[in-house]
C-alpha cells in the first residue's frame, strides 16, 4: 500500500483552521445529509501522533496532493512509509469492493481509526469532505470525531451551479472561492455562462476582437447599460470608460485544473444562435443585417457563421476537457431570419419548413461537429427538435416540460426550472433585500424540489441526469451581493441533488444551515442572514373570507395563460399572493384592456368596500395600474361608477404592493373591476383577490 503521512500540524491546520465550527459531532450535522449513518461509541481524537494514509497512486495521488497543497497551513507534502499503524490513523482506501456508486464512499470512525473507502478517488474525496465537517475542536491542540458508520452516495450524477460572468464579470479568484464551497457540499459541475449580450468573457486567439471590444462596455452597471437611452454599446478595452473583463486561456486552464483537484467539471457555455449581440457588434457580417447593433441572432444562412462557431468551439474544447459543451440555444427571436435571403436559401436547400426548423438545423449541425471531436452537446430546452441526436442533453428551465419531453425522446435531462432553481430571485421580503430580478424563491422552496417529475415512469426517470441552480447576474454588480444570493440556497440545492427525499427534513436542514452559515462567514463568504429571515407575508398563508368568496367571475378581458394562477376562480378563491407574482395566487394580465372582470354576487347585497391588491416588480415589467375603475349594478346591464382612481406609476419603486379600492354604502349584485396600464410603460398587471365587504 502506498502511504500518505502527515503530522499533527497538518491535520490540526487542515481540520481546525479551515473546517472547524460549532455543532454536534455527528453525521446528521453534515450538508448534504449522508444517505445512511449509525452512531458508535466513543470518539476518535486527532493528535500530533495521528497519521494519514492512502493507497492512491499516479494521477489520483497527484490530484489529492495538489488539493492539499492549497490549504493555507504548513504540512508535510511528502509521501513516505509503506505500513499503516493499527491505531491513531486516518486511512483513505481505494478498493474494488467498497461503495458501489462511483462517487459513493463508506466511513467508519472508531476510537482507534478512521477508515474511508471507495471504488474511486472521487468517492474518497467526498468522504474527506464529510470528515472535515464532522471534525470538531477538542482543545487547543487536537480535534475529535464521534464514532459513526456512514454509507453514502449521491442521488444524482449531475449536481451543478451556473455562474453568470457575462452580465457582471467575476475574477478568477472569486470563481475559485465558489469552487471551494461547491466541493464542500459535494457539487460536481460548474457551468460558466461565458458569453451573452453584456460581454464576451473568454480569450479566442483567432478572433481577438471578441476580447479587445466585445468584452467591454462604457458602463459597469448592467441595468444602467441595458436601459441606456443611447442603447447597449460596446467599447474598446483602451477606452477610459471601459468596464468588463475576460479570462485568458491561461486563466481558463488554471480554473479547470483548480476545479479538477476538487472533483468538479467546468462546463463552458458559448451562446448560439441568440444572446449574441456582443459577437455581432464585433463581427457584424455574421448577422443577417450585416450591421452592428441590428440583431441578437447569428445568420444561419451564412456559411461564415459556422466557420466562426466551429473555430471558437475548437479553441474552447482545447481548454475544457468536459464531456459536454453548452451551446445555449434559448430565446432566439428569429426576427431577422424571416426576411434574410441567405436564411431563405438555407431553408430551401435543406427543405426546412420554418424559422424554428432553421434553429434546429444550426443545433444539429453544431452537435455533429462536437460529436466528431468526441464531445456532447448540452443546451437549454429550446434545443429540442425531432432530429436532435440522442447523445445531446437538455437543461429544462421553462418548467419541467422540456425535461420530460427530452427524457421521453431518449435524452438526458438536467432539471433547472426557474420556479425552484433560479436563485437570482428574492430569497426574502424584497423590501429587505438588495435589488433582484423579481420573484420569490426562499430556502424552503428550493429544498422542497424533487428533480424527478411524477409524470415519468421509473425507467424514464433514469435519464434525469441531475439538477442545477442558476444565478444570473443582471442585477448583481458586486461579489458580496453574488455570494448573498448563493448562500445558503446553494446548500439546499446540494442536498436536493445528493440526499434521498425520505432522508430530508426542512426543519433539520434549517438548523444545519444556520450553523453552516457561521462557518462560511468565518471563511469570508458574504451570506444571506438566515437567522433574520422575514418569510412570506402573513396574509399569503391565511385565506381571506369576504362577500365575493367563491362567486363566479366573468372575464371581459382575458388573463394570460402563462400566469393564470387558479384560472377563473382565482380572484374570488380567498387566496392571497406572496412576494412573487408567479406563486399561483397572483393572476397576470397583459391584454390591451388589462384587468376587466365582473363578479356576480348572485343576489343584491349591501356593500361597504371593494378592493384589490396589486404588485409591482420593475425588472420583469410588472407595474401598478395607472387607472382603476370600480362600478356596480343590480341587473348586470346598467352600471354606476362608484370610484375612479388615477395613479401615477413610478419605476423608482422597484418592488411594491398597493391596495386600490372603494369604501362607501351601496347595494348591488354585480361588481365590475377594471385596472388599466400606464400607456407609456405598458407591461403587466397582476392582482390576487378582489375583496368585497
Amino acid at each position: 500500500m502506498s502511504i500518505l503521512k502527515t503530522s499533527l500540524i497538518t491535520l490540526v491546520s487542515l481540520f481546525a483552521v479551515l473546517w472547524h465550527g460549532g455543532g454536534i459531532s455527528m453525521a446528521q450535522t453534515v450538508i448534504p445529509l449522508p444517505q445512511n449513518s449509525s452512531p458508535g461509541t466513543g470518539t476518535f481524537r486527532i493528535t500530533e501522533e495521528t497519521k494519514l494514509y492512502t493507497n492512491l497512486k499516479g494521477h489520483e495521488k497527484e490530484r489529492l496532493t495538489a488539493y492539499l497543497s492549497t490549504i493555507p497551513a504548513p504540512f508535510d507534502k511528502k509521501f513516505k512509509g509503506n505500513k499503516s499503524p493499527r491505531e491513531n490513523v486516518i486511512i483513505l482506501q481505494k478498493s474494488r469492493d467498497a461503495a458501489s456508486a462511483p462517487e459513493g464512499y463508506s466511513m467508519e470512525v472508531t476510537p482507534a481509526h478512521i477508515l474511508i473507502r471507495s471504488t474511486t478517488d472521487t468517492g474518497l474525496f467526498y468522504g474527506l469532505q464529510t470528515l472535515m465537517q464532522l471534525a470538531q475542536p477538542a482543545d487547543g491542540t487536537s480535534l475529535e470525531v464521534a464514532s459513526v458508520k456512514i454509507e453514502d452516495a449521491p442521488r444524482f450524477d449531475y449536481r451543478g451551479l451556473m455562474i453568470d460572468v457575462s452580465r457582471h464579470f467575476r475574477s478568477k479568484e472569486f470563481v475559485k472561492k465558489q469552487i471551494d464551497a461547491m466541493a464542500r457540499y459535494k457539487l460536481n459541475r460548474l457551468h460558466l455562462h461565458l458569453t451573452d449580450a453584456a460581454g464576451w468573457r473568454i480569450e479566442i486567439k483567432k478572433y481577438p476582437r471578441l476580447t479587445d471590444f466585445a468584452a467591454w462596455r462604457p458602463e459597469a452597471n448592467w441595468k444602467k447599460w441595458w436601459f441606456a437611452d443611447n442603447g447597449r454599446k460596446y467599447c474598446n478595452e483602451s477606452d477610459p470608460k471601459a468596464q468588463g473583463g475576460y479570462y485568458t486561456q491561461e486563466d481558463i486552464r488554471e480554473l479547470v485544473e483548480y476545479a479538477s483537484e476538487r472533483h468538479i467539471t467546468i462546463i463552458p457555455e458559448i451562446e448560439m444562435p441568440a444572446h449574441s449581440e456582443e459577437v455581432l457588434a464585433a463581427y457584424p457580417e455574421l448577422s443577417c443585417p450585416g450591421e452592428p447593433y441590428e440583431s441578437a441572432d447569428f445568420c444561419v444562412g451564412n456559411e461564415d457563421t459556422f466557420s466562426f462557431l466551429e473555430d471558437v468551439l475548437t479553441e474552447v474544447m482545447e481548454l475544457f476537457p468536459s464531456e459536454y459543451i453548452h451551446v445555449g440555444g434559448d430565446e432566439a427571436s428569429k426576427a431577422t431570419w424571416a426576411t434574410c435571403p441567405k436564411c431563405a436559401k438555407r431553408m430551401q436547400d435543406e427543405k426546412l419548413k420554418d424559422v424554428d426548423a432553421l434553429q434546429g438545423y444550426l443545433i444539429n449541425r453544431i452537435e455533429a461537429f462536437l460529436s466528431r471531436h468526441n464531445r456532447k452537446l448540452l443546451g437549454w430546452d429550446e434545443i429540442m427538435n425531432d432530429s436532435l441526436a440522442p447523445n445531446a442533453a437538455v437543461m429544462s428551465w421553462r418548467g419541467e416540460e422540456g425535461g420530460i419531453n427530452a427524457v421521453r425522446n431518449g435524452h438526458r435531462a438536467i432539471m433547472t426550472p426557474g420556479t425552484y432553481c433560479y436563485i437570482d430571485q428574492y430569497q426574502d421580503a424584497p423590501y429587505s433585500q438588495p435589488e433582484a430580478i423579481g420573484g420569490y424563491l426562499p430556502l424552503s422552496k428550493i429544498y422542497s424540489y424533487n428533480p424527478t417529475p411524477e409524470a415519468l415512469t421509473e425507467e424514464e426517470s433514469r435519464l434525469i441526469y441531475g439538477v442545477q441552480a442558476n444565478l444570473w447576474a443582471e442585477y448583481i454588480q458586486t461579489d458580496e451581493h453574488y455570494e448573498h444570493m448563493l448562500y445558503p440556497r446553494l446548500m439546499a440545492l446540494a442536498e436536493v441533488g445528493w440526499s434521498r427525499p425520505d432522508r430530508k427534513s426542512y426543519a433539520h436542514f434549517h438548523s444545519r444551515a444556520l450553523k453552516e452559515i457561521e462557518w462560511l462567514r468565518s471563511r469570508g463568504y458574504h451570506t444571506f442572514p438566515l437567522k433574520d429571515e422575514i418569510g412570506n407575508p402573513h396574509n399569503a398563508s391565511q385565506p381571506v373570507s369576504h362577500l365575493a368568496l367563491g362567486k363566479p367571475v366573468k372575464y371581459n378581458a382575458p388573463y394570460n395563460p402563462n400566469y393564470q394562477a387558479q384560472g377563473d376562480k382565482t380572484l374570488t378563491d380567498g387566496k392571497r399572493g406572496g412576494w412573487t407574482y408567479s406563486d399561483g395566487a397572483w393572476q397576470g394580465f397583459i391584454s390591451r384592456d388589462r384587468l376587466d372582470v365582473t363578479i356576480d354576487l348572485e343576489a343584491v347585497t349591501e356593500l361597504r368596500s371593494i378592493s384589490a391588491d396589486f404588485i409591482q416588480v420593475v425588472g420583469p415589467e410588472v407595474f401598478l395600474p395607472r387607472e382603476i375603475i370600480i362600478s356596480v349594478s343590480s341587473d348586470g346591464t346598467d352600471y354606476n361608477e362608484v370610484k375612479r382612481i388615477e395613479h401615477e406609476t413610478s419605476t423608482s419603486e422597484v418592488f411594491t404592493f398597493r391596495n386600490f379600492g372603494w369604501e362607501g354604502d351601496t347595494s348591488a349584485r354585480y361588481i365590475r373591476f377594471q385596472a388599466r396600464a400606464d400607456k407609456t410603460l405598458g407591461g403587466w398587471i397582476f392582482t390576487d383577490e378582489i375583496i368585497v365587504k
Side-chain angles (χ1 to χ4, degrees):
M1 177 191 292
S2 298
I3 299 172
L4 171 62
K5 180 180 179 182
T6 63
S7 63
L8 166 69
I9 195 167
T10 306
L11 290 166
V12 171
S13 296
L14 180 62
F15 292 105
V17 176
L18 287 185
W19 285 280
H20 95 269
I24 302 170
S25 181
M26 54 192 298
Q28 284 72 21
T29 64
V30 175
I31 296 176
L33 192 68
Q35 303 292 16
N36 296 289
S37 64
S38 57
T41 303
T43 60
F44 178 87
R45 179 159 291 211
I46 302 171
T47 71
E48 62 181 7
E49 302 300 326
T50 302
K51 307 297 187 297
L52 181 62
Y53 288 85
T54 185
N55 65 344
L56 294 177
K57 299 178 181 180
H59 172 70
E60 293 177 345
K61 182 193 290 186
E62 292 171 1
R63 181 152 68 161
L64 178 60
T65 304
Y67 170 67
L68 294 174
S69 72
T70 65
I71 303 304
F75 57 88
D76 183 2
K77 304 178 183 67
K78 296 180 180 179
F79 294 86
K80 51 189 176 182
N82 56 14
K83 187 176 181 180
S84 170
R86 293 180 178 272
E87 295 186 351
N88 201 16
V89 61
I90 300 172
I91 304 170
L92 302 176
Q93 184 182 78
K94 183 178 176 182
S95 174
R96 291 181 180 179
D97 62 352
S100 58
E103 293 181 303
Y105 66 92
S106 66
M107 179 186 297
E108 180 185 60
V109 179
T110 72
H113 70 261
I114 295 175
L115 173 62
I116 301 173
R117 302 176 73 238
S118 176
T119 59
T120 67
D121 66 324
T122 299
L124 295 180
F125 181 83
Y126 289 145
L128 183 62
Q129 298 305 313
T130 294
L131 180 58
M132 289 169 175
Q133 290 194 42
L134 290 175
Q136 305 296 319
D139 53 43
T141 60
S142 63
L143 299 166
E144 65 181 14
V145 184
S147 293
V148 67
K149 286 186 177 180
I150 296 173
E151 294 287 340
D152 200 10
R155 182 184 180 199
F156 294 103
D157 291 338
Y158 187 111
R159 305 174 303 280
L161 166 66
M162 190 282 301
I163 293 181
D164 173 9
V165 295
S166 174
R167 274 49 178 264
H168 289 103
F169 181 65
R170 306 292 163 195
S171 71
K172 177 177 59 178
E173 290 70 27
F174 176 86
V175 176
K176 286 182 177 181
K177 186 180 178 186
Q178 310 324 310
I179 288 172
D180 287 338
M182 289 177 67
R184 180 171 173 86
Y185 306 125
K186 303 181 178 72
L187 294 165
N188 63 359
R189 299 293 194 281
L190 174 58
H191 168 185
L192 280 183
H193 188 72
L194 291 164
T195 72
D196 210 306
W200 182 278
R201 304 302 182 201
I202 179 172
E203 178 188 18
I204 302 297
K205 294 186 181 298
K206 191 166 184 176
Y207 298 97
R209 192 159 168 75
L210 291 172
T211 44
D212 292 346
F213 177 73
W216 307 93
R217 60 188 191 232
E219 169 58 58
N221 184 289
W222 175 90
K223 184 180 177 181
K224 291 180 180 179
W225 176 77
W226 189 255
F227 294 105
D229 292 337
N230 61 350
R232 311 156 189 180
K233 305 295 184 185
Y234 307 92
C235 64
N236 291 316
E237 182 177 4
S238 58
D239 190 311
K241 294 182 180 180
Q243 301 287 332
Y246 63 91
Y247 304 111
T248 66
Q249 294 200 354
E250 189 55 39
D251 289 336
I252 294 294
R253 292 188 185 94
E254 185 178 334
L255 284 173
V256 166
E257 182 63 22
Y258 192 87
S260 176
E261 290 166 5
R262 289 150 185 78
H263 297 261
I264 293 170
T265 299
I266 300 183
I267 297 176
E269 181 182 0
I270 305 298
E271 276 276 13
M272 62 185 79
H275 288 282
S276 299
E277 291 94 329
E278 84 287 19
V279 179
L280 301 177
Y283 297 97
E285 65 274 14
L286 301 179
S287 68
C288 294
E291 297 291 335
Y293 307 111
E294 294 294 329
S295 176
D297 302 340
F298 283 105
C299 177
V300 185
N302 187 349
E303 197 61 24
D304 289 343
T305 290
F306 292 93
S307 296
F308 171 86
L309 292 174
E310 291 178 5
D311 288 341
V312 168
L313 291 173
T314 296
E315 292 195 35
V316 167
M317 288 186 288
E318 290 172 354
L319 296 169
F320 294 93
S322 57
E323 176 185 15
Y324 287 98
I325 303 294
H326 203 301
V327 300
D330 61 313
E331 298 182 323
S333 73
K334 307 165 189 173
T336 58
W337 296 354
T339 57
C340 172
K342 291 180 180 178
C343 288
K345 186 175 188 306
R346 179 77 74 189
M347 292 173 66
Q348 181 180 12
D349 292 346
E350 301 295 335
K351 297 180 174 55
L352 306 175
K353 62 181 180 179
D354 53 29
V355 292
D356 292 334
L358 199 60
Q359 171 160 329
Y361 170 84
L362 179 142
I363 294 297
N364 292 348
R365 185 164 166 180
I366 294 299
E367 187 284 325
F369 171 76
L370 292 174
S371 183
R372 290 196 297 272
H373 291 80
N374 298 313
R375 303 300 183 92
K376 297 177 183 178
L377 181 141
L378 173 61
W380 305 109
D381 52 51
E382 289 96 323
I383 70 170
M384 275 296 300
N385 64 73
D386 293 340
S387 57
L388 186 66
N391 67 355
V394 173
M395 277 191 171
S396 187
W397 74 278
R398 297 177 301 171
E400 294 187 324
E401 196 63 32
I404 292 171
N405 290 338
V407 162
R408 287 177 174 167
N409 282 279
H411 302 280
R412 279 177 168 177
I414 298 159
M415 305 306 288
T416 180
T419 306
Y420 292 96
C421 297
Y422 272 45
I423 57 176
D424 53 340
Q425 301 176 66
Y426 290 102
Q427 61 193 308
D428 202 2
Y431 67 80
S432 72
Q433 296 299 297
E435 183 179 2
I437 197 168
Y440 175 56
L441 183 54
L443 187 67
S444 57
K445 186 167 185 177
I446 298 176
Y447 192 78
S448 71
Y449 183 51
N450 183 354
T452 302
E454 293 182 359
L456 297 179
T457 66
E458 184 176 349
E459 184 175 350
E460 289 170 338
S461 296
R462 295 191 183 103
L463 283 174
I464 298 296
Y465 195 22
V467 64
Q468 177 170 291
N470 299 320
L471 183 47
W472 305 100
E474 289 95 332
Y475 292 83
I476 308 176
Q477 188 170 351
T478 68
D479 290 352
E480 292 79 10
H481 185 184
Y482 206 90
E483 290 183 346
H484 177 94
M485 303 297 279
L486 273 175
Y487 309 107
R489 290 189 289 186
L490 190 61
M491 301 178 207
L493 189 283
E495 194 148 307
V496 166
W498 184 279
S499 305
R500 294 195 316 268
D502 64 319
R503 290 281 290 161
K504 292 168 57 186
S505 158
Y506 181 68
H508 186 213
F509 171 77
H510 187 270
S511 66
R512 286 179 284 134
L514 286 171
K515 294 173 182 175
E516 189 63 17
I517 282 174
E518 296 176 8
W519 180 88
L520 284 169
R521 286 182 174 271
S522 76
R523 302 310 307 155
Y525 291 85
H526 300 81
T527 72
F528 165 70
L530 182 61
K531 64 181 178 60
D532 300 325
E533 183 179 20
I534 297 167
N536 222 345
H538 178 69
N539 62 9
S541 59
Q542 300 294 325
V544 58
S545 179
H546 58 98
L547 295 176
L549 185 65
K551 301 302 183 182
V553 179
K554 176 186 175 184
Y555 286 82
N556 306 313
Y559 49 78
N560 187 275
N562 292 324
Y563 295 99
Q564 61 181 310
Q566 305 308 310
D568 291 357
K569 64 182 181 179
T570 298
L571 301 183
T572 57
D573 65 359
K575 296 179 181 178
R576 308 297 300 277
W579 297 125
T580 174
Y581 56 82
S582 60
D583 64 2
W586 294 99
Q587 194 168 60
F589 302 82
I590 201 169
S591 62
R592 181 175 61 84
D593 295 321
R594 299 304 193 272
L595 171 65
D596 184 353
V597 298
T598 302
I599 301 172
D600 182 1
L601 299 178
E602 300 179 322
V604 174
T605 306
E606 291 187 4
L607 305 177
R608 297 289 182 269
S609 71
I610 304 166
S611 65
D613 285 340
F614 294 84
I615 187 173
Q616 175 161 301
V617 188
V618 171
E621 299 183 352
V622 175
F623 298 115
L624 295 175
R626 177 69 177 83
E627 183 179 51
I628 300 90
I629 305 170
I630 303 172
S631 307
V632 298
S633 171
S634 294
D635 58 10
T637 301
D638 297 321
Y639 280 85
N640 174 41
E641 183 179 305
V642 296
K643 187 79 170 183
R644 181 181 292 260
I645 303 168
E646 299 289 337
H647 171 255
E648 185 174 345
T649 305
S650 171
T651 57
S652 63
E653 294 181 289
V654 173
F655 183 99
T656 189
F657 292 111
R658 193 69 54 85
N659 181 271
F660 296 102
W662 160 85
E663 291 185 352
D665 187 359
T666 191
S667 297
R669 173 176 172 174
Y670 299 94
I671 298 169
R672 186 178 182 186
F673 201 110
Q674 298 168 268
R676 297 171 178 168
D678 184 284
K679 290 183 179 179
T680 302
L681 292 174
W684 294 80
I685 283 179
F686 276 83
T687 191
D688 60 347
E689 187 85 357
I690 297 176
I691 298 175
V692 181
K693 295 182 179 180

